[in-house]
Amino acid sequence: MTLTEIRNAVIKRMTAQAAMPAGSVTYPNDPTFDPSGKTIWARLTNLPGIAGAVEIGDGPVVHRTGTIIIQLFVPIGSRSLLITETADAIRELFEFKADGALDYFAVSATDAGEADGWAQMNLSIPYRAM
């Protein structure tokens, strides 16, 4: 898969989620995003990793790796139920799923603390594509 194909598959899968309104998710290089008044919102980032090649048949097959980071935000003081339920729904959407030649693996969640009026949880989703 190309980097563009990976990007498109990840965004297509994320837009299929029903854990939060589609307008509450911001993607890389989106126009300015204003989260004011939202009960929850997310920022998706794709961090491409190391690629490798193996010789199979007529030529090399490239394996691309990377990590999707989904940062979830809720207003400070709104408790943790909404953010953990949303994290579970997104985990279910990605964990051990595949989009053609793109495979997603175990999802890790990290409490990232509070800043600028928002409590944050980060989901890390490693992937491999051929």
Side-chain angles (χ1 to χ4, degrees), residues 2 18 28 35 38 62 69 92 94 100 105 122:
T2 67
K38 298 196 181 299
V62 175
I69 305 295
E92 183 68 28
F94 281 95
F105 301 107
N122 295 339

Side-chain angles (χ1 to χ4, degrees), residues 95-106:
E95 196 167 59
F96 301 116
K97 301 293 194 284
D99 288 320
L102 175 60
D103 295 314
Y104 307 100
F105 301 107

Side-chain angles (χ1 to χ4, degrees), residues 7 11 22-23 25-33 42-44:
R7 174 195 175 277
I11 289 174
V25 180
T26 184
Y27 298 95
N29 204 27
D30 268 355
T32 302
F33 181 79
R43 178 184 301 130
L44 184 140

Side-chain angles (χ1 to χ4, degrees), residues 5-25:
E5 290 169 332
I6 293 168
R7 174 195 175 277
N8 291 342
V10 169
I11 289 174
K12 183 177 179 182
R13 181 166 288 274
M14 188 62 184
T15 58
Q17 62 82 25
M20 71 180 75
S24 294
V25 180

Side-chain angles (χ1 to χ4, degrees), residues 1-3 6 48-57 59-66 100-103 105 127-130:
M1 292 183 86
T2 67
L3 298 173
I6 293 168
I50 302 296
V54 294
E55 290 285 334
I56 298 177
V61 174
V62 175
H63 294 262
R64 300 192 191 286
T65 65
L102 175 60
D103 295 314
F105 301 107
Y127 66 82
R128 181 185 64 224
M130 293 196 329

